[in-house]
Amino acid sequence: MVLLKSFALSTLMVLGAASGALAQSDYPTQPITVVVPFSAGGPTDTVARLVAQVMSKELGQQVLIQNVGGAGGTLGAGQVANATNDGYTLLLHHIGMSTAPTLYRNLAFDPLTDFTPVGLITSVPMTIVARKDFEPTDMASLTTYLKANGQDVTYANAGIGSASHLCGMLLQDSLEVQMITVPYQGAGPAMTDIVGGQVDLICDQTTNTTNQIKAGEVKAYAVTSPARVDSLPDLPTTAEANLPRLEIGVWHGLYGPKDMDPAIVAKLEAALQTALQDPTVIQRFAELGTAPVPLDQATPQALTEELKGQIELWKPIIEEAGVYAD
């Protein structure tokens, strides 16, 4: 009897393991939700939707975008950290994953231990732009103007912890000025008010500013990349404007909840790499002033290394600024 029970238990374990392996090999069998922790229409949302469209074709299931804004991206990230790790709930986040541990002293999750990295996607340069009737005409005159009148200038950002918030901190630190910070619930609303002339200045990703710059809806001063971007060849870099410290790229990565099955991660990694080689994605990224990362960066290992390094980079900068979200 004992032997029969032991045999039955072993058989159930084998069948269970086989069933699990079959489920993993069939993955995905239902739509996948990618949480973007910022508002629809913003730069990270734009990146997510471009990549998701190709991943849907590759995986044979819809990859749906869910915008969960709030708390500088930590609300949506926290939702994914607590999700079931079956591969059907993912997170597409940007540089904010590396700044959250310092900005939020009571953060409910650990970016390094509560997620499964899938891969890097792109690193987006940022542009310093203003309402089109703002007085300074170039970066040199903007620098002079801010040093004389910074306390009266309104600086928009997409909320504490957003890329535009981080760039704003670096800008003010580099020029040793203090502006009036106007936080918004996302990059889209912030850019709308820049175009409408309600606020003066913003530093935001090329994915959110290139179209407005080309249309003449805003006044552009500089791009924060080491070299000029092809989509905005006449826009000088911050280094050309003698602001080498103000060099920042907003990298994006794809994650799942912690302890995802390696077989599922491998399928997602392959689909991500396919998306980053898609001609339409490459073209659209180029139009927005960025490019997909090389394929050897679209891996779990590369994303882990980037996240660790960026946490170490931003920690002293944020602590020196003394600006926290809680």
Side-chain angles (χ1 to χ4, degrees):
M1 182 65 69
V2 173
L3 287 174
L4 286 174
K5 287 182 178 179
S6 176
F7 175 77
L9 180 60
S10 299
T11 302
L12 286 172
M13 291 174 66
V14 169
L15 289 174
S19 176
L22 182 60
Q24 292 153 18
S25 65
D26 287 346
Y27 170 87
T29 59
Q30 65 188 57
I32 298 166
T33 296
V34 175
V35 172
V36 173
F38 303 103
S39 62
T44 301
D45 180 69
T46 299
V47 168
R49 292 180 189 277
L50 286 171
V51 170
Q53 188 172 7
V54 182
M55 289 185 69
S56 294
K57 296 177 184 177
E58 182 68 14
L59 292 167
Q61 290 287 342
Q62 281 189 298
V63 179
L64 307 172
I65 302 300
Q66 180 184 8
N67 298 95
V68 183
T74 62
L75 191 63
Q79 178 177 309
V80 176
N82 293 316
T84 303
N85 62 352
D86 56 6
Y88 292 103
T89 304
L90 307 175
L91 172 70
L92 197 153
H93 205 340
H94 64 27
I95 191 173
M97 276 289 271
S98 62
T99 59
T102 309
L103 279 170
Y104 293 84
R105 291 164 292 185
N106 297 304
L107 193 63
F109 58 84
D110 186 331
L112 287 172
T113 60
D114 289 335
F115 298 89
T116 300
V118 176
L120 284 161
I121 298 170
T122 185
S123 182
V124 182
M126 305 192 76
T127 50
I128 300 170
V129 303
R131 54 182 170 84
K132 62 182 179 182
D133 57 350
F134 199 42
E135 182 178 331
T137 56
D138 56 23
M139 196 64 202
S141 59
L142 175 65
T143 298
T144 301
Y145 186 90
L146 291 179
K147 287 185 175 181
N149 306 285
Q151 71 278 2
D152 298 319
V153 174
T154 51
Y155 177 85
N157 67 47
I160 292 179
S162 65
S164 51
H165 170 232
L166 298 174
C167 190
M169 281 200 301
L170 281 180
L171 175 61
Q172 293 177 87
D173 182 65
S174 298
L175 298 181
E176 297 181 342
V177 300
Q178 190 71 38
M179 293 182 279
I180 301 169
T181 300
V182 184
Y184 286 78
Q185 293 295 316
M191 182 54 64
T192 296
D193 275 6
I194 288 286
V195 173
Q198 280 76 43
V199 283
D200 297 323
L201 196 68
I202 193 171
C203 178
D204 205 0
Q205 301 173 61
T206 54
T207 46
N208 200 42
T209 63
T210 298
N211 291 338
Q212 288 85 350
I213 292 171
K214 288 183 173 180
E217 296 176 339
V218 296
K219 184 177 290 186
Y221 295 102
V223 63
T224 65
S225 53
R228 296 192 183 198
V229 296
D230 291 341
S231 58
L232 299 166
D234 296 328
L235 193 60
T237 67
T238 47
E240 290 177 68
N242 296 317
L243 292 170
R245 282 193 62 207
L246 191 55
E247 186 177 297
I248 175 174
V250 184
W251 53 273
H252 296 72
L254 185 64
Y255 310 78
K258 67 178 180 181
D259 299 329
M260 279 207 313
D261 189 276
I264 292 176
V265 176
K267 284 196 172 185
L268 291 169
E269 178 186 356
L272 175 62
Q273 292 186 357
T274 297
L276 297 184
Q277 297 176 82
D278 182 80
T280 300
V281 170
I282 293 170
Q283 179 184 341
R284 287 288 292 121
F285 274 17
E287 291 170 356
L288 296 169
T290 187
V293 298
L295 292 188
D296 62 358
Q297 295 294 299
T299 66
Q301 296 80 9
L303 179 52
T304 299
E305 291 173 8
E306 183 72 12
L307 182 58
K308 286 180 179 178
Q310 289 281 303
I311 288 173
E312 294 173 1
L313 172 68
W314 281 100
K315 181 177 172 61
I317 294 173
I318 295 169
E319 289 179 341
E320 182 179 347
V323 178
Y324 300 98
D326 56 11

